[in-house]
Structures are given as C-alpha cells and as structure tokens.
Amino acid sequence: MGPILTLLAQRIALSLLLLLMVSALIFAGTLILPGDVAQSILGQSATPEALANLRAELGLNEPAISRYFSWLSGIFHGDLGTALTSGQDIAASIGSRLSNTLFLAFWAALISVPLAIFLGLLSVRFKDRWPDKLISAVTLTSISIPEFLIGYVLMYLIAVKLGWFSSVAMINDGMSLGQKLNAIALPVMVLTLVVLAHMMRMTRAAILNVMQSAYIETAELKGLSGLDVIRKHAFPNAIAPIVNVVMLNLAYLVVGVVVIEVVFVYPGMGQYLVDHVAKRDVPVVQACGLIFAAVYIGLNMIADIVSILANPRLRHPK
Amino acid sequence: MSDPLVKVRGLKIGATVYPPGEKPHDIEIVHGVDFDLQKGKVLGLIGESGAGKSTIGLATMAYGRGGVEITGGEVWVNGRDILKTGLRDVRRLRGSEVTYVSQSAAASFNPAKKIMEQVTEAAIRHNKFNRKEAEARAVELFAKLGLPEPETIGNRYPHQVSGGQLQRCMTALALCPEPDLVVFDEPTTALDVTTQIDVLAAIKEAIRDTGVAALYITHDLAVVAQVSDHIMVLRMGDMVEYGTTDQIINSPQEEYTQALVSVRSIKHIEKDPTPEPVLSVRNITARYPGTHFDVLHDVTVDLHPGQTLAVVGESGSGKSTLARVITGLLPPSDGTIDFAGRTLSAGLGGRSREDLRELQMIYQMADTAMNPRQTVGTIIGRPLEFYFGLRGREKQKRIQELLDEIELGEGFQDRYPAELSGGQKQRVCIARALAAKPKMIICDEVTSALDPLVADGILKLLLDLQKIEDVAYLFITHDLATVRAIADSIAVMYQGKVQRYGSKTEVLSPPFDDYTDLLLSSVPEMKLGWLEEVIAHRKMESAGN
C-alpha cells in the first residue's frame, strides 16, 4: 500500500496548496477592484474625517499582506468577517444559504448522475442506432439552450399551464421534506437537463474507448450478452474518466447555479453572492469566492483520488 | 467415421476497407475454405499475415473482428450450422462449446478483475458448473498448466503475474468450461523463446489430457508441427495445401509450402575480425534516470567495419538499452564508446553532426518510424539535404539510386507509407539510413514484425547492401535463426550482462554456459517430436542434478 498512500497524500497536499493560492488570488482580485469600501458604505456625502475613521476601524490602512493574513487566520477559525452592508456575521448568513444550495445540488445530482450514466450505457449498447441518436439529440439540445430559457419555458409549461409545481422555489426551515422537494422540483429539472448531456457524452465516449480493448472481445467470446459485456467488463475500466466529468458537473451544480437561483428566486449562495456584488460588499464576495473555490477544488480532488483508487495497478502493486 | 465436430464448407469472409485517398469498399478476405475437424484432434492453420487464419478461427465462433463479416458458406459445429441459428444460440456456443485463446493474454484479460473471476466466468454463465465447482476446476487447470501456487494465483490481478503465466491462465480460461473446441490464436508468439517452450508443452499436455479438439493458428511452422495432427496452409484467403503434419513438414507438395518450410535458408559465412574495430564499447554500465538498479553491467563488445555483431537476448536483457547508450539517448553512468577512431560524447548534445551521420538506426516498427504525411521521396531525401546539402535534380537522382538499391523501382517516390506493405516500409527505412552514408547502422529487431518470407528478403537485402556499402551492423534481435543467418560475431545478453561473446562459430558451438544452452535448445525446430525430446532431455538433466 506504500506507493498509493504517497500518491494520495501528494494529491491532497497539492489541493490544499492550490486552495491557498486561490485565496491569495481572491484577496488580490478584490483589492484591485475600483472603488473604496469606506466610501461605498458612507456614500458620496461623507466627510473626510468620517472616511478616515471608518478606514482605520476596518483596518484598511494596514498593509495588504497583513490584512490578507488576518483574513486567512480568521477563516481558519471559522470567522469569515462581517458583512459591511448589514453588519451581520457572514459565516452565519452563509451557513443557511450554503445548505440550501447543497440541498438543491444534492437532489439534482441524485437524479442526473445515475440517469446520465444509464443513458451513456444505453447509447453504447445501441451505438449508431436510433436510441443512441435520440439520446444524443435530446441531451445536446438541452445543453445548447441557455439555462434561464429552459427555466422560463418549464416554468410556463409546468407551473403556469399544468399547475403541477410552484414557479417560485422559496424554501424555509419550517417546511417538511416533501414540501421542500415540491418547491425545488422545477430548478432540479432544469439543472438535470443542463448537466446531463456532458456526463452522458463522456460516459459514452469513455466506454466506447474501452470497448476497443482486447478483453472486451474475450468477454464477447465468452458468450456474454451485450449489456453484460458493457456493465461487467467495460464500465469498471471507464470509471476514472466518468468520475472526472461527474465531479466537474457536481462542482457546476454548486458553483454555477447563480442563474437558476435568480430565475427561481431560490435562497441559495448564488443569490446571496449576486446581491452583495451589487452592493460592493467585498468581505461577502471574498467569502463566497473562497467557498466556491473550495468546493471546486475539493470535488476535483475527490475525482483524482477515485481515479487513483480505480487503477488496479496502483491498488494492488506487484 | 463419426460426424466431424466442425465442418466448414465454402466459407467466405469479407471486410470493408478504407484505403487512403479512395472510397471505402468491400473486399473478400477468405474465398471459400473447406475443412473438417474430428473430436479431440488438432488442426494447425498456418500462413503469413493476411492469409485469413485468425479470421477463419473466429468464424468457428460466428465472430467477425472489427468490420469483418462472414458473407457465405456453412460452419457446422456439433451438428448445426452456426451461421444460421441466430444470436441467442451463438452466445450459448461461445464460451461453452467453443472457446478462444488470444495472442496477447496481457491485453485479453480485464485489468480490473481478478484472474479467477475471469477464468470461471464463462463456465458459470453457461451453467456448466456452479461457482465452487468452477473454481475447483480452475485450480486443477492452473496446476496442470504448471502455474505456481495454483491454489491462490487466481486471487491475483492480471498485472501481478508474468506474461508467460498469464498466457497459461488464458489457456485455463479457455479450458474451464469443458469446451469441445479451443481456438488457439498465436498463443505463444508474444512470448520469449525460453518461455514459449514451457507454455507450448503445457498447452499440448492440456489438450491431450482433456481430449479437447483445437484449431492452432500460427505463422510459425516449427511451432505448429509440435502440436497438431493436421495442418492447413493458407495464403491470401485461399487454402494452399492440407495434409497430416508429417506430410506437410517432410514432403510438402506446393511451392509456397516448400518456401515456408525452407525459410531461413540464408547461408552467411562469418568474416574474420579486422585489427581496427569501428565501434568499441568499453565497460558500459547504465541505468534509467530515477531508478535504482543498473540495466547494463560492465558491457564490453567490438564491432568491425563491414561486419555484423548480433546482440541477442530476451525481453529485459538490456539489448535495446545498449542501443540507446550507443546512440547517446541514455548517457551511461560508467564506461566509454569509441567510434571510428574517436571517443564519442556520452550524451547526444555533445556529438557532432558527423557523429550523427555516421551512426544510423533502423527500428522494429517501420510504421511508427516514418511520418505518415510525408512521401517516400521526402523521407529518403531529408538526410540527403541535412547531411550533404543536396537539392533539386541531384537529390532526385540520389533518391532514385537508393530506391534501386532497396529493390523498389520507379514510382515509389510519390507514395505515402500507408500505401506500402510491411516489407516495403522497412526497405524505405533502410534506404533512409543508407542515405546518410553511415559507417554503422543499429538494427533494432528490424525483422521481428515481418512475416518469415518477407523477413528473409530484408535480411538478404541487408547482407547485399553490407557488401556494397561496407557498412557495419549492430543487429539487435531475440531470434536465433536471424542471428545464424547474418552474424559475424555474437553477444548473448542476459539480465544486463554479456553472457557470452565471440565469433559466430565460437558462440554457437559447445560447451555452452547454462543460459545459452537454454536459449539455443528452446528455439523450435521443424521436426516432429522435437518438443518431447527437449522436455525429456531437460527432465533428465534436472533429475541428474
């Protein structure tokens, strides 16, 4: 087990390093944005004394490096700072927003990932015949239409015309799981349609690649049925590329839902971020950016780890 | 006589080809072949690449590889025509009545699953045995095939056993469901010669003990002579000759069969060493960057002008590494290389253009050694420009001279590599090496990927060119027949050391060291009963020890 542990440790260490570099980038990025935080809080009519006082209070006169490290050490202690505009603790407000976003992403993933893999397997089984072409056509169409348009079309058809689900996906802690699911049904549908094609195409391509291998011929010559050959012999060898694309899409479900949350007025991270970008609330934007980056890097790290673990040569050295 | 197990009548097989620059079209690759195979008998299918032998073997499982399709005829197995019974019945046949052993077990085992699971899969799937019975039978077969630790080897993954062991596991996989017929498709071709003999003996014994019938497909007549009862010689999708093994080996009727039997008949009398070697390798020790063991230990050999030094050894013996060291691709950790009266810089960067010109190389895979988007003229013309600055008419004239030397006529200048046969491609590579007017050419397994008759042609050409151009060859090969055909001196390599070195006669005459003896006695000879003789001899020796 020696070499595999080293490899895993390397991956994890690299991911942490990457996250650290991203945090520096986020901090630097918000520094070079035009405008002054104190000015934007106090407005144009503020007196120079008031501005100077507020700057001192916010620590804006400190050098950037020391501000970065105090920000970073705060994060390590779970302190994301306070929002400038509302004066609320960012960690507390993000907490509920993030759990809402994860709730939405979880259900979208639960439906889209198995569906994408199943459709991918089905396309391989019926390669170049009508089921394959139909699946490709539908999923590619859905990925090509902008997600807000799909959102509004579904809203019109399902919520307005059929009246099945609510067009506004407001949820709160008082709702039961059933009520919550009912509320998020439409955004989940849209997200599924958006991420399905990518994962399904990649599953199809990865398995078709494996299907060229000699051991697939061996399996066919054992008299296995087409689906058995794919399921038992092709799929286990295509896991690494499939997990990679699945993780990329899961990351998208968390990080890229801004548009969908706005369309469905869903109280998640995306809306929170958009609101505070509009208000120039730099600490909130920094915190959101860092959380998104952490999710992205974390999921890709998991993909790397799964790829390493899926390789029998690494798992069972000679 | 009872009904045959397999009865093939008028078998026609076609494929769609996609030639460069032309429309895809259908061609016929097997043109109506007939044969019978009785229960428990072994039929050898022999021929060069493109003869259709694998295709015919797979047709007994109603299977066409890639775009290959069975277009006509009948294939009767166990009393039914499997080309007419439909896919469900064919699936019942595959892996249960007929099983398959492929050339490369390493590629044919699923890397993600344990060996045992794969060996027993077909037997369980076809309800021949339950899991427990199937595993017991697999262990029994592992033991019969001489695999180490038969009880536990099934728990390993394919990459955890050696190539020769995996090939035996593949045989166990084929025998596990107690089939009536096993198709062996070049099962020992990818193995080293000392490994091949053991696997061959194991396969033969397993066939005899289980009473299974077999189709044994190979390009090596000496190998097939050891295992089969009958032999069918194929060429370009037609049957050339069919007979008992004895008749085919000892009194072949057709001209083509005679050529196959007498292949490797080149006689080359070794030349005496000259006082001044063109290449002298002194005490070379080398390892690959980032590794902790030496791939070459203290290698010392000489090559004389206009002569051939054959470096012979099995995979992993370090023979190709030696070539990399001489060319400067892998600087050695110790030792020197003198070439044409000067000491070469260890690394490629320190060598002059003259050094590079005088030391050329020809590779095993002519396919990958040429840019597929350049014409033959461009490929051969490049060294003429680069080393001699030839342009225009002069260059064209020289290219044509070189093409004449490699016995390819006019009209080849404008062709692309994809339009050439395997032998023609290798000839172009030879011309490219000669274009630089080198003092020495390193030939790395240059005939290994070629059919025997084509390889023979290449060897003859190389010998002729050596006389004309007075070029020395460092000839790397695993094939002892090739060594006999062309070498003046021989270095036998084993585990990175020169095991035996001297003139051809010295090296190939007894007394031998243990390894050279093993290597020489493992080369299949084209006579009946050779395998038994060698195995019996070895058993006696090990008993004597």
Side-chain angles (χ1 to χ4, degrees):
Chain A
M1 287 302 282
I4 199 164
L5 285 181
T6 325
L7 264 176
L8 292 181
Q10 272 173 357
R11 278 308 132 117
I12 294 167
L14 268 177
S15 298
L16 292 177
L17 184 71
L18 194 60
L19 193 55
L20 196 69
M21 286 160 64
V22 169
S23 75
L25 265 179
I26 289 172
F27 191 83
T30 47
L31 270 187
I32 57 175
L33 284 177
D36 176 39
V37 181
Q39 186 89 61
S40 59
I41 291 172
L42 296 177
Q44 291 298 330
S45 55
T47 60
E49 291 82 46
L51 281 176
N53 284 340
L54 187 59
R55 283 207 189 98
E57 196 183 314
L58 294 173
L60 292 181
N61 295 328
E62 304 274 313
I65 295 284
S66 71
R67 271 190 287 151
Y68 169 67
F69 281 110
S70 69
W71 177 64
L72 201 62
S73 77
I75 290 166
F76 278 119
H77 296 99
D79 174 19
L80 294 173
T82 43
L84 297 177
T85 43
S86 60
Q88 282 175 351
D89 182 44
I90 298 177
S93 5
I94 279 188
S96 70
R97 299 296 190 128
L98 182 61
S99 73
N100 282 348
T101 290
L102 291 179
F103 182 72
L104 181 62
F106 171 77
W107 287 100
L110 199 70
I111 292 169
S112 63
V113 172
L115 188 63
I117 290 173
F118 175 72
L119 289 177
L121 292 174
L122 213 59
S123 314
V124 173
R125 173 67 187 81
F126 297 102
K127 183 182 168 244
D128 293 337
R129 311 226 303 262
W130 70 263
D132 179 29
K133 288 180 176 157
L134 183 73
I135 292 169
S136 284
V138 170
T139 52
L140 285 178
T141 308
S142 74
I143 204 178
S144 309
I145 304 173
E147 53 201 278
F148 65 86
L149 188 64
I150 301 181
Y152 286 126
V153 168
L154 285 187
M155 215 187 268
Y156 175 72
L157 290 177
I158 294 175
V160 179
K161 283 282 169 189
L162 296 170
W164 287 354
F165 299 111
S166 153
S167 65
V168 176
M170 289 297 282
I171 62 170
N172 57 54
D173 292 341
M175 294 164 88
S176 71
L177 182 66
Q179 285 171 320
K180 281 183 178 175
L181 288 183
N182 191 40
I184 64 165
L186 276 181
V188 164
M189 259 183 245
V190 177
L191 285 174
T192 301
L193 285 174
V194 170
V195 297
L196 199 60
H198 194 195
M199 288 191 284
M200 171 264 155
R201 296 290 295 178
M202 195 64 200
T203 305
R204 180 180 180 276
I207 292 179
L208 279 180
N209 188 26
V210 170
M211 292 295 277
Q212 312 284 329
S213 314
Y215 54 81
I216 296 301
E217 184 180 282
T218 309
E220 282 174 7
L221 291 177
K222 281 176 178 171
L224 303 186
S225 70
L227 219 51
D228 268 353
V229 171
I230 297 169
R231 195 169 54 84
K232 286 190 184 165
H233 289 276
F235 185 65
N237 290 292
I239 283 178
I242 293 174
V243 166
N244 255 307
V245 71
V246 165
M247 288 302 163
L248 220 56
N249 281 284
L250 290 188
Y252 177 81
L253 284 179
V254 178
V255 177
V257 290
V258 177
V259 174
I260 293 300
E261 287 187 0
V262 173
V263 167
F264 289 96
V265 206
Y266 185 77
M269 287 278 286
Q271 271 233 322
Y272 185 65
L273 176 66
V274 170
D275 288 350
H276 289 80
V277 167
K279 292 179 198 156
R280 285 192 184 284
D281 196 333
V282 172
V284 174
V285 175
Q286 283 174 336
C288 288
L290 193 63
I291 286 171
F292 283 159
V295 167
Y296 209 88
I297 292 172
L299 286 170
N300 278 293
M301 181 184 76
I302 293 172
D304 280 353
I305 291 174
V306 171
S307 304
I308 292 170
L309 291 178
N311 185 341
R313 284 168 194 277
L314 294 174
R315 206 168 60 235
H316 306 278
K318 279 195 177 184
Chain B
M1 198 187 254
S2 61
D3 270 355
L5 173 68
V6 181
K7 188 171 79 176
V8 173
R9 290 293 175 269
L11 179 64
K12 288 186 179 182
I13 301 173
T16 309
V17 289
Y18 304 87
E22 282 175 58
K23 277 187 185 166
H25 56 91
D26 292 339
I27 54 159
E28 196 173 80
I29 51 179
V30 174
H31 323 282
V33 165
D34 306 323
F35 66 89
D36 285 346
L37 179 59
Q38 301 295 333
K39 286 193 177 77
K41 293 288 180 190
V42 180
L43 171 64
L45 296 183
I46 182 143
E48 301 184 77
S49 52
K53 47 195 195 305
S54 291
T55 314
I56 293 172
L58 287 168
T60 62
M61 306 177 83
Y63 186 84
R65 189 177 274 164
V68 169
E69 232 174 297
I70 300 169
T71 49
E74 299 166 13
V75 178
W76 294 76
V77 178
N78 278 332
R80 66 189 187 293
D81 183 355
I82 60 167
L83 301 184
K84 298 203 170 60
T85 54
L87 191 60
R88 285 176 67 90
D89 194 65
V90 164
R91 282 204 184 121
R92 268 197 286 274
L93 166 108
R94 291 178 186 164
S96 135
E97 290 165 57
V98 188
T99 56
Y100 182 73
V101 177
S102 77
Q103 171 170 355
S104 169
S108 296
F109 269 95
N110 188 335
K113 288 176 176 282
K114 288 181 179 173
I115 290 170
M116 179 59 90
E117 196 185 336
Q118 302 188 55
V119 168
T120 54
E121 184 176 16
I124 296 168
R125 161 87 198 178
H126 295 288
N127 296 319
K128 289 260 181 151
F129 301 110
N130 63 31
R131 182 167 300 276
K132 226 176 138 188
E133 291 163 351
E135 286 180 357
R137 175 160 169 83
V139 168
E140 198 181 303
L141 286 167
F142 290 152
K144 185 175 287 175
L145 288 160
L147 282 163
E149 302 167 37
E151 295 287 337
T152 54
I153 195 167
N155 296 329
R156 298 194 211 167
Y157 283 84
H159 70 270
Q160 293 175 309
V161 304
S162 74
Q165 289 169 354
L166 206 54
Q167 202 68 43
R168 293 179 215 208
C169 291
M170 183 103 205
T171 307
L173 183 153
L175 291 172
C176 189
E178 294 191 327
D180 302 310
L181 171 69
V182 181
V183 179
F184 289 96
D185 192 353
E186 304 262 12
T188 62
T189 307
L191 302 175
D192 278 326
V193 62
T194 53
T195 319
Q196 161 172 288
I197 187 168
D198 295 332
V199 174
L200 200 59
I203 288 176
K204 184 170 186 180
E205 205 175 297
I207 291 176
R208 198 186 54 215
D209 291 357
T210 53
V212 68
L215 274 180
Y216 199 100
I217 298 161
T218 175
H219 69 281
D220 189 341
L221 203 47
V223 165
V224 82
Q226 309 310 320
V227 290
S228 52
D229 302 297
H230 290 83
I231 291 177
M232 182 157 86
V233 182
L234 292 156
R235 186 186 195 190
M236 318 277 278
D238 280 312
M239 191 188 87
V240 175
E241 192 167 355
Y242 176 91
T244 63
T245 302
D246 183 40
Q247 182 249 307
I248 296 283
I249 300 294
N250 295 320
S251 52
Q253 302 299 305
E254 299 293 322
E255 208 175 306
Y256 179 67
T257 316
Q258 286 162 5
L260 280 182
V261 172
S262 64
V263 74
R264 300 292 158 80
S265 55
I266 300 172
K267 292 279 179 288
H268 172 68
I269 300 154
E270 69 187 63
K271 297 183 237 46
D272 290 324
T274 55
E276 198 59 39
V278 61
L279 173 84
S280 106
V281 173
R282 289 282 163 266
N283 310 101
I284 288 289
T285 298
R287 65 174 60 179
Y288 284 98
T291 59
H292 303 287
F293 59 94
D294 292 329
V295 192
L296 292 175
H297 308 267
D298 198 22
V299 172
T300 298
V301 287
D302 283 336
L303 171 58
H304 295 274
Q307 301 198 0
T308 303
L309 166 67
V311 177
V312 63
E314 300 186 285
S315 47
S317 63
K319 52 192 195 303
S320 289
T321 306
L322 180 61
R324 292 179 68 85
V325 170
I326 294 171
T327 52
L329 290 170
L330 177 71
S333 48
D334 199 15
T336 55
I337 296 163
D338 291 338
F339 177 66
R342 56 188 185 268
T343 301
L344 286 179
S345 147
L348 200 53
R351 297 197 178 178
S352 69
R353 185 174 283 204
E354 209 53 15
D355 292 339
L356 300 180
R357 179 183 70 75
E358 292 185 334
L359 208 168
Q360 292 290 312
M361 191 143 179
I362 311 172
Y363 304 88
Q364 176 174 2
M365 305 305 281
D367 261 328
T368 51
M370 289 188 284
N371 186 335
R373 298 196 180 276
Q374 288 182 344
T375 61
V376 168
T378 313
I379 290 169
I380 300 177
R382 177 68 189 142
L384 297 175
E385 279 173 40
F386 183 73
Y387 293 118
F388 304 112
L390 293 189
R391 295 273 185 280
R393 287 262 290 285
E394 246 183 313
K395 187 174 86 173
Q396 293 305 321
K397 194 169 144 261
R398 182 78 186 111
I399 292 174
Q400 195 52 53
E401 279 172 20
L402 284 161
L403 282 173
D404 290 341
E405 279 192 22
I406 56 166
E407 294 157 13
L408 296 182
E410 306 230 351
F412 272 89
Q413 285 214 21
D414 301 321
R415 296 220 209 159
Y416 287 91
E419 299 169 67
L420 306 179
S421 72
Q424 288 170 338
K425 283 179 204 162
Q426 199 56 286
R427 281 168 193 256
V428 172
C429 289
I430 292 172
R432 176 174 60 181
L434 284 178
K437 287 193 173 291
K439 288 207 164 86
M440 170 186 157
I441 300 178
I442 297 176
C443 306
D444 191 356
E445 299 273 12
V446 290
T447 55
S448 306
L450 301 173
D451 286 316
L453 291 175
V454 179
D456 243 25
I458 295 285
L459 293 179
K460 281 192 186 114
L461 176 72
L462 284 170
L463 284 175
D464 290 346
L465 291 171
Q466 188 168 52
K467 279 191 204 116
I468 302 168
E469 306 272 345
D470 201 36
V471 60
Y473 298 137
L474 183 87
F475 204 96
I476 294 168
T477 181
H478 68 279
D479 182 15
L480 282 151
T482 306
V483 172
R484 284 201 178 89
I486 65 151
D488 296 299
S489 51
I490 300 176
V492 179
M493 292 200 62
Y494 180 60
Q495 296 185 345
K497 294 192 183 92
V498 175
Q499 186 77 20
R500 194 173 168 89
Y501 171 63
S503 73
K504 178 163 72 174
T505 325
E506 279 165 27
V507 169
L508 298 181
S509 310
F512 297 116
D513 58 284
D514 287 351
Y515 177 71
T516 309
D517 188 37
L518 177 72
L519 192 66
L520 290 176
S521 67
S522 297
V523 179
E525 286 172 27
M526 214 171 288
K527 64 176 192 196
L528 272 64
W530 165 81
L531 182 64
E532 282 75 10
E533 275 174 36
V534 177
I535 298 290
H537 182 67
R538 287 191 185 170
K539 276 188 183 144
M540 252 166 57
E541 277 198 341
S542 60
N545 290 348

